[in-house]
Amino acid sequence: MSSFGRVFRVTTYGESHCKSVGCIVDGVPPNLSLTEEDIQPQLTRRRPGQSKLSTPRNEKDRVEIQSGTEFGKTLGTPIGMVVRNEDQRPKDYSETDVYPRPSHADYTYLSKYHTKASSGGGRSSARETIGRVAAGAIAEKFLKQINNVEIVAFVSGVGEVSIDRSTKNESFINLLNTITRDQVDDCGPIRCPVADKAEEMTKLVENAKHSQDSVGGVVTCVSKVLQ
């Protein structure tokens, strides 16, 4: 799905190795402060190539606001944002037309549309999440500004390694009540705030990568109104 939302509506565009990816955000009120500096930190947090655990693709992921703002203020019109793809290597994926990647959306996409971009996963690539992150950064700013809402997410499980997330685990409940984004970012590339579990998760991902395999994970998201 490329478009979602009603009051706050987001449409993402772009393929994995095309010239650019981005989004259009409609529904942002006028006269609110907004610049690239509000959005860039979140795109920097998700950019590839930050550690040996992530894809080695090298992208700066610098966001440009194309429309919907003027002099650092929103106009109430659709906000267009673009991120240029610099590390474009579509030829690296030529074999996926013959051998779809396991646990990837290559085959699903081809079965649904009977065609797909030759460059990587096309629209089913994780590169598509750039538009979602950029739109989320706008939503997050105004939730904090208008409603004093804070949102923090962290990795709580990778494969069979997991934090005990039961409501009877007092340390986990305390973690939910006190966790901050700075703490998450200080946890290293796995972004799990429980040190021993983070170490286990890291080894699991490294072993999967060494075996040319992949492994799934769980993200816990905390949304709260600050007092």
Side-chain angles (χ1 to χ4, degrees), residues 61-157:
D61 285 354
R62 301 298 303 180
V63 65
E64 302 171 27
I65 297 178
Q66 303 283 298
S67 66
T69 67
E70 194 172 63
F71 308 119
K73 297 284 187 179
T74 58
L75 297 172
T77 53
I79 296 173
M81 293 179 284
V82 62
V83 171
R84 314 287 177 181
N85 285 336
E86 297 181 4
D87 188 7
Q88 299 176 50
R89 293 179 292 172
K91 292 182 179 179
D92 286 1
Y93 299 86
S94 59
E95 288 189 354
T96 62
D97 288 334
V98 181
Y99 307 107
R101 288 168 287 181
S103 301
H104 199 281
D106 287 333
Y107 184 74
T108 305
Y109 197 98
L110 185 61
S111 297
K112 181 177 181 180
Y113 295 105
H114 304 292
T115 186
K116 73 176 189 69
S118 60
S119 56
R123 286 288 293 159
S124 60
S125 167
R127 194 99 185 115
E128 187 269 349
T129 62
I130 281 181
R132 297 170 185 255
V133 171
I138 294 177
E140 180 184 52
K141 173 173 183 176
F142 296 129
L143 281 172
K144 179 72 176 292
Q145 181 176 310
I146 297 170
N147 300 108
N148 208 26
V149 170
E150 180 182 75
I151 300 171
V152 182
F154 57 91
V155 174
S156 57

